[in-house]
Amino acid sequence: MIFNSANKTALHFLCLLVFIAFSASAAFADCLNKRVPDNDPLHMLVLGDSVMWGQGLREEEKFSSRVKCWLEEKLNRSVSVHVEAHSGAVISGAPAARLEFVTSDGEVNNSSPTINEQLDHAIGFYQNSHTSPALILMNGCINDVGVKNLLSASTPLESLRAQAQKSCGDDMQLLLQRAKNSFPQSQVLVTSYYPIVSLLTDDNAFLRLLVKKLNSQGPEARRMTDKEMRQRLIAISAEWYKTSTASLLDAVRKTNAAGNGGTPTPQVEFIEIQFGPEHVFAAPDSLLWNFMFASTNASGFAKIVVLLSFGTAAYKANDHVRESRIKSCEQTYKKPKGIKEEKQKKQAREDLFLICRYASLGHPNQMGALIYTEAIKGRLLQLIDKAGWKRNNESRLTLN
């Protein structure tokens, strides 16, 4: 996607409206006190990875929760949400490649259950309750491409492009086809991703230190200057955003081309979330979680002083659930008792713990989640009447 001046102006206006709503509501999606009939709920299913899960956000701040509250107000009926999404989920994976670590906390990065398995679980859930989701919010493919590849300055653009086309295109299409066949009356909304860094990402000593640490294991990256490494990461981010967006859109188009099950609108819709260069990680108007001290206006030197003074505590993420996530990470990736741990396995376990500890970094913060919410609401406004979700006082709805 080309982020032109018209798109940029529109997004600035949207951000202004969101900021006003954010200030007025203290950023909480509180619909607990809304009195809506609950005898005929609309069912909503949430599938995907950490972005769809709402990494780092309190439950009421997540865009899935906000969409629920908004729908209840618009439809005058309760909305029942079933969430299978969790951090670290891949679209599919071989059983032999599964991690030995198990958790029930969606904040903890774990490739399993895969999104295909999430769909399997959802099918069983709705069969047991004799219901079906009217709306499915879904995403997927960034973990299949590999976050490490997106943060490694030595990742070849050609390799990244090919992997994104396969994961966000071919693999996602197969998943969407399964979802469509499993729930033929459901409307499926697929959200895009966003660029991670840009030319407007802060270039201070604090973040340069982080980038070097992330790229310390690659021989090619170690030979790069700070400037070269920064340019490479910006190019990788731009390629990721461009290719993932195009591939997801293509997957949606091909899924709909296979037939829409007799529904009056395409069963699967693509929603592009338009984050500009100023909204990426550590940018001036970032919509993503950052480090606590990196998100201040202190100079690069001041941040280094903070780092030297407080050590790794300076690297705390600024999300709202970091403390509870860290406890879950410690529990999930704790040292096994009564077993002599091999050096390689120990290193892998400790690496997973560190990834888990800082898992919120680069994910939509409160404002970012609001942008997702508004984009989804904009599409739902066009779907509500056509889909027949509004409560009809004269006849019972046939779609649950």
Side-chain angles (χ1 to χ4, degrees):
M1 187 215 62
I2 298 175
F3 207 88
N4 56 38
S5 58
N7 285 332
K8 188 172 182 179
T9 301
L11 186 56
H12 275 305
F13 180 68
L14 176 59
C15 284
L16 177 61
L17 293 178
V18 167
F19 177 75
I20 294 172
F22 176 87
S23 302
S25 65
F28 296 127
D30 181 10
C31 57
L32 297 178
N33 296 324
K34 293 186 181 299
R35 295 183 178 181
V36 292
D38 59 2
N39 60 335
D40 182 27
L42 179 125
H43 295 276
M44 183 172 84
L45 172 62
V46 182
L47 303 174
D49 55 37
S50 53
V51 176
M52 188 60 65
W53 159 258
Q55 190 89 53
L57 295 162
R58 301 184 185 100
E59 190 61 37
E60 64 270 20
E61 298 169 334
K62 298 180 181 184
F63 61 81
S64 57
S65 296
R66 291 180 175 279
V67 169
K68 163 193 164 66
C69 295
W70 179 81
L71 277 173
E72 287 188 339
E73 181 180 353
K74 286 291 180 183
L75 304 177
N76 190 34
R77 62 187 297 201
S78 62
V79 175
S80 176
V81 181
H82 180 71
V83 179
E84 290 284 351
H86 66 85
S87 179
V90 296
I91 293 176
S92 59
R98 299 292 167 75
L99 297 175
E100 57 189 281
F101 307 103
V102 179
T103 179
S104 59
D105 189 346
E107 278 287 308
V108 177
N109 288 58
N110 203 322
S111 62
S112 180
T114 67
I115 306 177
N116 267 292
E117 288 172 331
Q118 291 176 24
L119 178 58
D120 291 336
H121 297 165
I123 292 170
F125 172 83
Y126 287 110
Q127 284 178 342
N128 289 336
S129 61
H130 304 289
T131 57
S132 180
L135 174 64
I136 301 176
L137 299 184
M138 181 188 296
N139 79 338
C141 81
I142 191 169
N143 292 310
D144 301 82
V145 172
V147 175
K148 286 186 178 180
N149 289 327
L150 300 177
L151 299 178
S152 173
S154 58
T155 298
L157 292 182
E158 298 78 11
S159 173
L160 175 67
R161 187 180 306 116
Q163 184 59 57
Q165 288 172 341
K166 177 185 181 299
S167 299
C168 304
D170 299 342
D171 295 347
M172 194 63 180
Q173 184 193 349
L174 292 175
L175 174 62
L176 289 174
Q177 192 63 53
R178 282 197 65 217
K180 177 181 169 181
N181 293 341
S182 301
F183 301 112
Q185 295 186 33
S186 301
Q187 288 291 330
V188 183
L189 301 187
V190 180
T191 58
S192 74
Y193 292 96
Y194 44 82
I196 300 172
V197 296
S198 75
L199 286 169
L200 296 181
T201 295
D202 197 5
D203 187 23
N204 59 47
F206 189 90
L207 289 179
R208 285 199 296 273
L209 182 65
L210 171 65
V211 169
K212 282 186 176 180
K213 185 175 181 62
L214 291 172
N215 288 272
S216 62
Q217 296 180 352
E220 184 180 340
R222 285 200 298 267
R223 293 192 293 268
M224 295 181 188
T225 64
D226 289 346
K227 183 178 180 180
E228 290 172 334
M229 194 173 295
R230 177 180 171 82
Q231 290 174 337
R232 282 287 303 169
L233 289 174
I234 291 171
I236 288 169
S237 179
E239 183 61 48
W240 153 250
Y241 182 42
K242 175 183 175 182
T243 305
S244 65
T245 300
S247 299
L248 286 168
L249 179 58
D250 189 52
V252 168
R253 285 173 175 166
K254 288 179 178 177
T255 304
N256 285 324
N260 62 8
T263 58
T265 57
Q267 188 178 346
V268 186
E269 299 277 350
F270 179 66
I271 300 179
E272 185 172 359
I273 311 299
Q274 297 184 342
F275 281 21
E278 68 274 30
H279 300 133
V280 302
F281 182 70
D285 298 316
S286 179
L287 297 173
L288 309 176
W289 295 120
N290 200 339
F291 291 108
M292 290 183 68
F293 287 96
S295 61
T296 69
N297 292 322
S299 67
F301 176 74
K303 289 172 183 174
I304 290 297
V305 172
V306 168
L307 179 61
L308 293 174
S309 302
F310 295 97
T312 55
Y315 280 111
K316 278 189 176 181
N318 65 353
D319 68 280
H320 294 155
V321 298
R322 61 180 177 274
E323 299 303 333
S324 60
R325 178 178 61 254
I326 290 173
K327 289 180 181 179
S328 291
C329 295
E330 291 172 343
Q331 181 64 29
T332 303
Y333 300 115
K334 63 183 178 182
K335 182 179 179 181
K337 292 182 179 180
I339 301 176
K340 186 176 180 180
E341 199 173 19
E342 297 177 5
K343 184 178 180 180
Q344 188 174 0
K345 283 192 173 183
K346 179 182 178 181
Q347 185 62 55
R349 177 177 58 79
E350 291 177 347
D351 286 346
L352 287 170
F353 169 71
L354 285 175
I355 292 171
C356 182
R357 183 185 181 97
Y358 304 114
S360 65
L361 295 176
H363 287 83
N365 57 22
Q366 292 162 287
M367 288 296 292
L370 282 167
I371 296 297
Y372 266 82
T373 303
E374 293 304 311
I376 293 170
K377 283 164 57 177
R379 187 67 195 104
L380 287 175
L381 277 173
Q382 304 172 48
L383 287 175
I384 286 175
D385 290 330
K386 294 179 180 178
W389 294 346
K390 281 189 175 180
R391 181 176 296 279
N392 187 334
N393 295 326
E394 298 180 357
S395 61
R396 181 179 175 84
L397 292 169
T398 57
L399 177 59
N400 292 318

